[in-house]
Amino acid sequence: MATTTTDKAQFKVGDETFQTWYQVTGDLHSGKRPLVALHGGPGVPHSYMLAHLDLYTSYNIPVVLYDQLGCGKSTHLREKPKEFWTVDLFMNELSNLLDHIGITEDFDLLGHSWGGMLASSYAALRHPPGLKHLIIADSPASMPLWEETTAALLAEFPEETRETLRRHEEAGTTDSQEYQEAVMEFYKKHVCRLEPWPQEIQESFKGLSEDPTVYHTMNGPSEFTVVGSLKTWSIIDALPNIKSPTLVINGEHDEAQELCVRPFRERIPNAKWAELRGCSHMPFWEGREEYFQLVGDFLGSG
């Protein structure tokens, strides 16, 4: 039976102190290298990442999950200006958490979607010496590539759906039910193809809807309309700096199509790539057995 503990790490930003909620499943001192999993969004709480506890169940790998600042059980900061929400902020939070739980010298990192953007930035720009394996799941190497691929996917939908999206985005009424229903048509094909969605995914999206501050500020109103501060983000030029063995994963029907992930596998010196057939943006739910065998074998490779 897995032992799971939860706590909060104090995270100082300037003169202010915030709380990063986290949970640890397994023993960080068992001799098995722990995996820290970074959720997406930004601002989508950790619940949908709970499937990654399969790595503890099947491989005895300790798994650390946490809610990034601004969402879930961590400190919410609805009043902060857009300048507050930066990639550096979240890299600093990750460093603080690693130090708090005492695993800076020996750990693996897995990032999903925005979490993969964060993880690749952390590996390429901070050069953490204790990082032994990096997994980038369903993530773009740049937001311009993401926009290019999501635009192509959206073009396959009926004109009526696209017109509904355009009309509400132009009118600034993206919180309307009609807009949200049109968005969900896209999500059910390219975010998660299971019907119904697992409860853990539903809980994460409920958390996002309750406080979309970080998502709206850094991304925008939807996965395919990027108007926030991440719009020009790219890690492509820094990818050769990543020295850790890296596994890149995406799904056949993923928002993060092959074009998005290609720079990771081409520019990271020691990278492997796997595309999971029949899956979209959440292969750890849609192709769970294949995904975790792939990840577990990679983490155990050295």
Side-chain angles (χ1 to χ4, degrees), residues 9-282:
Q10 304 282 322
F11 175 42
K12 286 187 66 67
V13 180
D15 295 331
E16 298 179 284
T17 300
F18 307 121
Q19 308 283 333
T20 301
W21 178 93
Y22 68 94
Q23 76 169 46
V24 178
T25 299
D27 182 359
L28 294 178
H29 307 291
S30 65
K32 293 281 285 189
R33 189 168 48 249
L35 174 74
V36 181
L38 313 183
H39 67 70
V44 177
H46 79 282
S47 296
Y48 82 97
M49 294 289 283
L50 285 167
H52 288 83
L53 299 186
D54 284 8
L55 291 167
Y56 177 80
T57 304
S58 298
Y59 295 88
N60 203 34
I61 295 171
V63 177
V64 180
L65 297 170
Y66 72 102
D67 284 331
Q68 295 160 27
L69 195 64
C71 77
K73 301 175 183 178
S74 293
T75 305
H76 288 242
L77 296 162
R78 294 173 175 85
E79 75 285 357
K80 289 296 184 184
K82 64 181 181 180
E83 294 79 16
F84 178 81
W85 301 105
T86 65
V87 178
D88 273 340
L89 171 74
F90 291 106
M91 289 197 291
N92 291 342
E93 182 184 32
L94 174 56
S95 287
N96 182 74
L97 178 63
L98 294 171
D99 186 60
H100 176 81
I101 61 178
I103 60 170
T104 55
E105 295 183 2
D106 191 32
F107 67 97
D108 295 328
L109 203 56
L110 181 151
H112 173 255
S113 196
W114 145 254
M117 297 162 61
L118 176 58
S120 60
S121 296
Y122 191 71
L125 303 177
R126 297 291 177 92
H127 317 293
L131 177 61
K132 300 302 190 296
H133 296 84
L134 174 65
I135 301 169
I136 302 169
D138 315 282
S139 304
S142 81
M143 287 308 277
L145 289 178
W146 174 271
E147 285 195 283
E148 184 177 342
T149 59
T150 55
L153 293 173
L154 194 58
E156 299 172 358
F157 283 78
E159 173 57 30
E160 180 182 359
T161 301
R162 290 181 279 129
E163 171 55 29
T164 297
L165 294 168
R166 279 195 298 269
R167 176 162 40 84
H168 285 290
E169 287 169 1
E170 290 171 2
T173 53
T174 56
D175 57 350
S176 73
Q177 183 176 346
E178 186 182 38
Y179 181 82
Q180 294 303 322
E181 288 175 353
V183 165
M184 191 54 65
E185 290 183 42
F186 181 91
Y187 288 7
K188 286 183 176 180
K189 281 194 171 183
H190 300 297
V191 174
C192 181
R193 297 168 74 88
L194 298 180
E195 184 63 44
W197 280 5
Q199 184 63 32
E200 293 88 343
I201 298 178
Q202 295 183 45
E203 288 177 5
S204 285
F205 274 78
K206 181 174 183 289
L208 171 62
S209 68
E210 290 171 349
D211 186 359
T213 302
V214 188
Y215 186 79
H216 285 175
T217 301
M218 297 184 75
N219 188 80
S222 69
E223 293 292 271
F224 42 79
T225 303
V226 182
V227 295
S229 58
L230 287 174
K231 186 174 180 64
T232 60
W233 177 88
S234 175
I235 197 63
I236 292 174
D237 289 345
L239 291 177
N241 296 334
I242 298 177
K243 305 307 179 188
S244 307
T246 301
L247 175 63
V248 181
I249 302 172
N250 73 324
E252 177 185 4
H253 306 289
D254 208 329
E255 301 172 284
Q257 289 282 296
E258 190 272 342
L259 178 66
C260 279
V261 305
R262 189 184 303 161
F264 289 132
R265 61 187 179 87
E266 289 183 347
R267 298 179 66 88
I268 296 175
N270 192 8
K272 300 177 181 178
W273 171 56
E275 182 175 88
L276 301 190
R277 310 305 292 176
C279 297
S280 63
H281 198 53
M282 296 195 182

